[in-house]
Amino acid sequence: GLIAVIYVLTDDPVLAAGGAIGFFIPDSLFQGQIRTRQADIMRNFPTMVDLMALTIEAGLDYMAAIERILKNVTVVQRTELENELQKMVNEVQLGYSRRDALKRLAMRTGVSEVRSFVGLIIQSDELGTGLVGLLRNFSQDMRNRRVGKAEELAGKASTKMLGPMMIFIF
């Protein structure tokens, strides 16, 4: 589709192919950066949820718990998740409601686990249920899914290695 349109406009196949490649390269570069950022967020997310559970159990509400955790991390050492949480705290301080700031956090990250986490906090806030037990179960569930995904990838690796091993043996 796009190559044909560029070819009709330019009458040069090399220019048409170059235009098509130039059209898709920025998108693929951005998608790679997005995946790297989301992987960084997911790598630190279970630990952050556990820290929140500990500080909430000590008597703070979830927003004060996030602020306390972020206060103990220097700006230079912050991960992507901590930067996003700081943006959320700043939005609340600027006047956004907690619910809106949480929803904006989920929208900015684009990670399904963060969306689930935000839904969990909003639901707990609306219903008045205890958040500590929910956070502990949530972080354990995330760790179990991570281990399951690693086991699944390890199982697929053995079948992928079978073909090249057969070739090298013969």
Side-chain angles (χ1 to χ4, degrees), residues 39-109:
D40 183 43
I41 288 171
M42 279 311 301
R43 187 173 24 261
N44 300 308
F45 195 56
T47 306
M48 180 64 71
V49 172
D50 283 337
L51 285 171
M52 283 181 61
L54 282 172
T55 52
I56 291 171
E57 195 172 31
L60 298 176
D61 70 329
Y62 66 89
M63 199 56 73
I66 293 171
E67 289 178 24
R68 175 70 55 97
I69 292 167
L70 293 175
K71 191 188 322 180
N72 293 327
V73 179
T74 61
V75 177
V76 178
Q77 295 175 336
R78 283 201 176 150
T79 63
E80 289 292 327
L81 176 62
E82 291 161 346
N83 288 333
E84 288 298 327
L85 289 172
Q86 185 62 53
K87 286 179 190 174
M88 183 192 69
V89 168
N90 291 343
E91 287 175 354
V92 170
Q93 290 172 350
L94 288 173
Y96 283 94
S97 69
R98 289 180 173 197
R99 181 187 186 117
D100 289 341
L102 283 166
K103 286 183 178 180
R104 290 169 59 89
L105 168 71
M107 184 181 65
R108 277 193 312 265
T109 59

